Amino acid sequence: MRSKPFIFYILLCLIWGTTWVVLKKSLIEGTPAVFGVGFRFFISGSILLLITFIQKRSIPKTRTAVNIYVLFGLFNLVIGYGATYWATQFIYSNLASLLWAGFPIVVVIMAHFYLTNEKITLIKLISILIGTAGVFLILSQSQSFGGEHVFMGMTVITFAVILAAWPNVYLKQHSHEVDTLTMNAVCQTGSGLILLIISSFIEKDQTMIWSPFNIFAMVYLTVLGSIAAWLIYIWLFKHLTITQIAYIAFPPPVIAAFLGWKILGEALTPFAVIGAIMVIGGAVTVNLKQ
């Protein structure tokens, strides 16, 4: 990996690793889940749109580009992030991040059918089986974390991970059809607006509490978590393989698990830790060459 992509790669891992504890604490302090993610994306998308217009960039409008906007915006941002925010109300932030560590495994499975140079090898198959077993082991420990909605929250995130994988494979196929800035501007603004509309129906009885921390969290998650992180992420699609990109899902859960334990006191059962090791181990080995 060349130096510039490597530097951005590390920066992205650090950003996404720290967003989990900030997200969870903001939910604890009174941020309505769907409103929080919708407001975050609408503001970041609007800023990116403003930059797009200032730079007088044209927004690609080909059929493939529109497909990318719809798929990425709907499955990655609206469903992926919306479901994750909502589910994280009921589970530990480190559990949410560990379940997302299975993302590379799902991407590799889908890439096998759509990308000619990303076929599943024996090592990848073993990794997939290990990682999948780890997810089920973590899910089996839901009763140990308290709360009647823990299992539901973990299951929702698992399905969000599966749904979010396909747009990444499609984007890798057609990354030349869009550019980093305009794609993020369109996807984030559109998804933010959709999430805010959804919030107006399902969270109409909840009020956003603009505490000092929630203001900090919104700024942090918007500027770093949405604008900086997603600009880097989409930029990496033009410089790395889909397998290398999927590997980004591995380091953040390690950072998130430590911060969740240190800051929020989120402890895991021994079996959940074993399951986490299996998921992360599968995510790592699935990216090894034969």
Side-chain angles (χ1 to χ4, degrees), residues 95-110:
L95 278 177
S97 66
L98 289 169
L99 290 172
W100 268 97
F103 180 73
I105 297 172
V106 184
V107 169
V108 166
I109 294 174
M110 293 186 178

Side-chain angles (χ1 to χ4, degrees), residues 64-164:
T64 302
V66 173
N67 287 341
I68 291 173
Y69 302 148
V70 172
L71 287 173
F72 215 86
L74 182 61
F75 288 94
N76 263 74
L77 303 183
V78 174
I79 297 178
Y81 268 76
T84 298
Y85 259 71
W86 180 84
T88 305
Q89 298 176 94
F90 310 112
I91 68 175
Y92 290 164
S93 64
N94 54 17
L95 278 177
S97 66
L98 289 169
L99 290 172
W100 268 97
F103 180 73
I105 297 172
V106 184
V107 169
V108 166
I109 294 174
M110 293 186 178
H112 172 79
F113 297 100
Y114 293 98
L115 300 178
T116 56
N117 59 339
E118 298 285 350
K119 298 301 182 182
I120 293 178
T121 62
L122 178 60
I123 289 179
K124 288 183 178 181
L125 179 60
I126 295 173
S127 302
I128 290 168
L129 294 176
I130 293 173
T132 303
V135 170
F136 280 107
L137 186 56
I138 293 174
L139 290 174
S140 73
Q141 297 298 295
S142 60
Q143 296 301 318
S144 302
F145 303 116
E148 57 181 331
H149 300 302
V150 173
F151 181 78
M152 178 181 64
M154 295 167 70
T155 304
V156 166
I157 289 182
T158 301
F159 279 108
V161 170
I162 295 172
L163 291 176

